[in-house]
Amino acid sequence: MATVTKTTATMHTGRSNKGHRRNKSGPRANGSSGRMLNDSAMTSARQNSTQTNKKYRHFAAVHSKLKTSCLSADAEASPSFLGFRNLMVIVLVVSNLRLMIENFMKYGVLICLRCHDYRRQDLLLGAILYALVPCHLFVAYIIELVAAHKAKGAIGRSKKTEDTNQSSEARQESDRREFQSAWILIAFAHGLNASLCLLGTTVVVYYYVHHPLIGTICEMHAIIVWLKNCSYAFTNRDLRHAMLHPHQSSTLPEIYSECPYPRNITVRNLTYFWWAPTLVYQPVYPRTARIRWTFVVKRVSEMAGLSMFIWIASAQYAAPVLRNSLDKMASLDITSILERLMKLSTISLVIWLAGFFALFQSFLNALAEVMRFGDREFYTEWWNSPSVGTYWRTWNRPVYHFMKRHIFVPLMGRGWNAQAASAIVFIFSGVLHELLVGIPTHNLIGVAFVGMIFQLPLIAVTLPLERMQGKNGKIIGNVIFWVSFCLVGQPLAALLYFFAWQAKYGSVSRPQAVPS
């Protein structure tokens, strides 16, 4: 037994010595890797020990700093609402899908294309109008070509007079009168051309185009081209004046030096303005370096999807609600009209928001990308408007820029006060809105015009709220804007124009699904 024990001890001792010898040779073979492994193991052990100790410390200070709820007004940073946006989209999709399934179960059809009165004459006239209206822009180009030739002739005669020392007051007065008479003729030609553009389309749509959607597209196109015509004429008039009076050319924007007047009077320059997503003419616009076709495909896909959603929501929800309101409107049942108005306000708001995104975010950005148009501020944060006036300055920037540049600022320059100039702007805008809604529906009842005029007292009421110190006034102003716009404005206008259409022509389509 003793022998066995001794032998075992000797074996262990031998192994230990061998291991010791291996450890001695280890540093020479592996360098610093052994030390690194040992240090890593020790560090890991310390971390595990520290984590184990922290795990059971019940006295850790959880509340150590001043913090606010992320939705509070005094929060340091605004939270992201991406999740709420996704939830809103899901709720909209599910609610409309439920309505579509219900209508399909009841009537066996989702949208009846044959039910709508798409007349062949409407399609033909719409196509002709859409092709002819842009021709007025090229008539404006010819007028400006003549005006530029006249301006060059005036400059040439002025230089010739100076060179031959034949300057006299009579000669200068004759040249001035000749130029003024030429400009009066040019202004008259521009006015006649632009008026025929809008007047011709308006007459054809009102008397010969029955379907309101086709009429709306034609009328909107004519209004856009008319506004572009006006901007083209006004801008070139001032550029021509600056050329004839060189001391005033220093006030021109620096960007215009890339294409000075009259080098901008070309078909190519006008064609770019025709397609550019703006209503304000400039000889030069900021341009991007290249076209991102992936961006264009995304925006076009958004526009197509939203257009389909608007069509389905209008047919499945808005149109039935409008039809169910006819008897209430005829009998002047105020309580029922208010109930229908509130029910219509939800879907009209959803359709309007979808249309806003499809037009201003998707379509205009896609068009700007194709045209390499650099300034894409087509809207700003109008949904946070603290007053009605801020909303009209931020939600449709192309129209706002036109109104400010060609109506508001010129009136202010002629001595008008801001309130009077704003009134003229809203009267002008009210006429355009009435044309855009009343002409295609064949009912010039003045609702759109009165609605625009009614914005003036709303602006006066909400302006002091916007200027109040703190956020309470701005919140109240924003609530007034949303209530007046979404609960009263759009739904009431839709009810009145639909009632006027039905009273004049009857149903535009055969009865479809009527949700309860």
Side-chain angles (χ1 to χ4, degrees):
M1 185 70 180
T3 304
V4 174
T5 305
K6 185 176 180 179
T7 304
T8 305
T10 303
M11 293 173 62
H12 283 290
T13 303
R15 291 173 185 170
S16 177
N17 291 335
K18 289 179 182 178
H20 181 68
R21 286 193 296 271
R22 283 195 299 268
N23 290 338
K24 283 185 177 180
S25 62
R28 288 193 298 270
N30 299 327
S32 61
S33 61
R35 287 195 302 271
M36 293 175 64
L37 291 173
N38 291 335
D39 292 343
S40 176
M42 293 176 65
T43 303
S44 177
R46 290 195 192 99
Q47 290 177 350
N48 292 335
S49 176
T50 303
Q51 290 176 358
T52 303
N53 292 337
K54 283 187 176 181
K55 183 177 180 180
Y56 297 100
R57 288 181 180 177
H58 296 283
F59 57 82
V62 176
H63 310 288
S64 58
K65 294 189 296 184
L66 299 175
K67 298 179 182 178
T68 58
S69 300
C70 64
L71 292 179
S72 299
D74 53 351
E76 296 181 359
S78 300
S80 172
F81 294 99
L82 178 63
F84 281 114
R85 187 195 69 179
N86 295 337
L87 175 63
M88 180 184 68
V89 173
I90 292 172
V91 170
L92 290 175
V93 170
V94 171
S95 61
N96 284 278
L97 184 61
R98 194 260 332 153
L99 184 62
M100 292 169 60
I101 294 174
E102 179 183 351
N103 289 340
F104 183 77
M105 292 172 62
K106 288 181 178 180
Y107 303 97
V109 63
L110 291 178
I111 297 178
C112 179
L113 296 177
R114 296 180 179 179
C115 298
H116 293 269
D117 190 8
Y118 290 100
R119 300 178 181 178
R120 184 177 180 180
Q121 176 184 341
D122 294 345
L123 296 173
L124 181 61
L125 288 176
I128 293 174
L129 286 175
Y130 206 83
L132 290 179
V133 164
C135 295
H136 291 273
L137 275 173
F138 292 95
V139 173
Y141 159 73
I142 295 174
I143 296 171
E144 280 302 321
L145 206 61
V146 174
H149 178 73
K150 289 284 186 181
K152 289 179 180 179
I155 292 176
R157 288 192 300 272
S158 176
K159 289 183 178 180
K160 184 177 179 180
T161 302
E162 291 176 359
D163 294 338
T164 58
N165 295 322
Q166 294 178 354
S167 177
S168 64
E169 294 184 1
R171 181 65 178 175
Q172 291 178 358
E173 182 67 18
S174 176
D175 291 343
R176 186 180 64 82
R177 289 180 179 178
E178 181 180 355
F179 177 75
Q180 286 184 347
S181 62
W183 166 237
I184 291 173
L185 290 176
I186 291 168
F188 176 78
H190 272 305
L192 180 62
N193 175 53
S195 300
L196 289 176
C197 170
L198 187 58
L199 182 62
T201 303
T202 299
V203 171
V204 173
V205 170
Y206 189 81
Y207 288 104
Y208 301 104
V209 178
H210 176 73
H211 199 275
L213 178 60
I214 299 174
T216 299
I217 294 174
C218 294
E219 191 70 16
M220 179 180 290
H221 185 219
I223 291 175
I224 291 173
V225 172
W226 182 71
L227 293 175
K228 284 178 178 278
N229 257 320
C230 294
S231 183
Y232 188 73
F234 286 137
T235 304
N236 280 308
R237 181 197 66 179
D238 288 351
L239 291 175
R240 184 165 55 254
H241 184 79
M243 184 187 72
L244 294 171
H245 302 81
H247 63 281
Q248 296 183 4
S249 60
S250 59
T251 61
L252 294 177
E254 185 178 353
I255 191 175
Y256 289 6
S257 61
E258 299 177 18
C259 185
Y261 185 88
R263 281 170 47 192
N264 63 307
I265 308 300
T266 62
V267 175
R268 182 178 180 180
N269 185 276
L270 178 63
T271 303
Y272 184 86
F273 174 56
W274 172 25
W275 285 102
T278 179
L279 298 175
V280 172
Y281 174 72
Q282 292 181 191
V284 183
Y285 296 96
R287 304 284 298 276
T288 56
R290 61 185 181 87
I291 300 175
R292 299 170 296 172
W293 291 107
T294 303
F295 180 87
V296 175
V297 171
K298 289 180 179 179
R299 302 289 82 78
V300 172
S301 300
E302 290 173 355
M303 184 179 64
L306 288 169
S307 299
M308 184 63 65
F309 167 77
I310 292 171
W311 185 25
I312 293 174
S314 300
Q316 297 290 315
Y317 196 94
V321 172
L322 287 169
R323 284 196 296 269
N324 288 341
S325 306
L326 292 176
D327 56 340
K328 311 298 188 299
M329 294 283 292
S331 61
L332 292 180
D333 187 348
I334 303 300
T335 304
S336 299
I337 291 175
L338 290 177
E339 186 272 334
R340 294 284 96 181
L341 195 66
M342 292 180 183
K343 189 171 185 178
L344 185 63
S345 64
T346 302
I347 190 61
S348 67
L349 175 61
V350 170
I351 291 174
W352 183 82
L353 290 176
F356 163 80
F357 195 93
L359 176 60
F360 289 92
Q361 176 62 24
S362 301
F363 174 72
L364 290 184
N365 269 289
L367 182 60
E369 188 68 26
V370 172
M371 301 299 295
R372 292 172 48 208
F373 189 82
D375 187 2
R376 304 182 184 182
E377 192 184 49
F378 305 120
Y379 60 91
T380 55
E381 297 180 5
W382 56 266
W383 47 89
N384 295 326
S385 299
S387 67
V388 176
T390 302
Y391 163 75
W392 288 110
R393 291 190 297 269
T394 55
W395 96 274
N396 189 341
R397 298 290 286 179
V399 172
Y400 166 74
H401 288 315
F402 180 92
M403 297 294 182
K404 180 180 179 181
R405 188 195 200 198
H406 296 303
I407 300 179
F408 184 82
V409 173
L411 290 177
M412 293 284 289
R414 287 170 171 79
W416 293 51
N417 58 46
Q419 290 76 16
S422 297
I424 296 298
V425 168
F426 276 92
I427 290 174
F428 178 74
S429 181
V431 172
L432 293 184
H433 277 77
E434 186 64 30
L435 290 176
L436 185 59
V437 181
I439 294 298
T441 58
H442 311 284
N443 285 288
L444 293 172
I445 57 179
V447 173
F449 177 79
V450 173
M452 289 301 301
I453 300 302
F454 189 68
Q455 301 303 306
L456 293 172
L458 286 177
I459 291 173
V461 169
T462 55
L463 183 60
L465 296 173
E466 180 181 5
R467 295 176 177 176
M468 284 177 59
Q469 296 294 331
K471 296 184 177 181
N472 292 333
K474 295 179 175 61
I475 293 174
I476 296 173
N478 185 256
V479 170
I480 293 175
F481 150 67
W482 279 113
V483 171
S484 63
F485 186 76
C486 300
L487 187 60
V488 179
Q490 288 189 1
L492 182 60
L495 274 177
L496 292 175
Y497 278 103
F498 188 79
F499 181 78
W501 172 274
Q502 294 291 343
K504 191 171 184 178
Y505 295 105
S507 179
V508 72
S509 60
R510 290 194 291 270
Q512 299 177 22
V514 180
S516 57

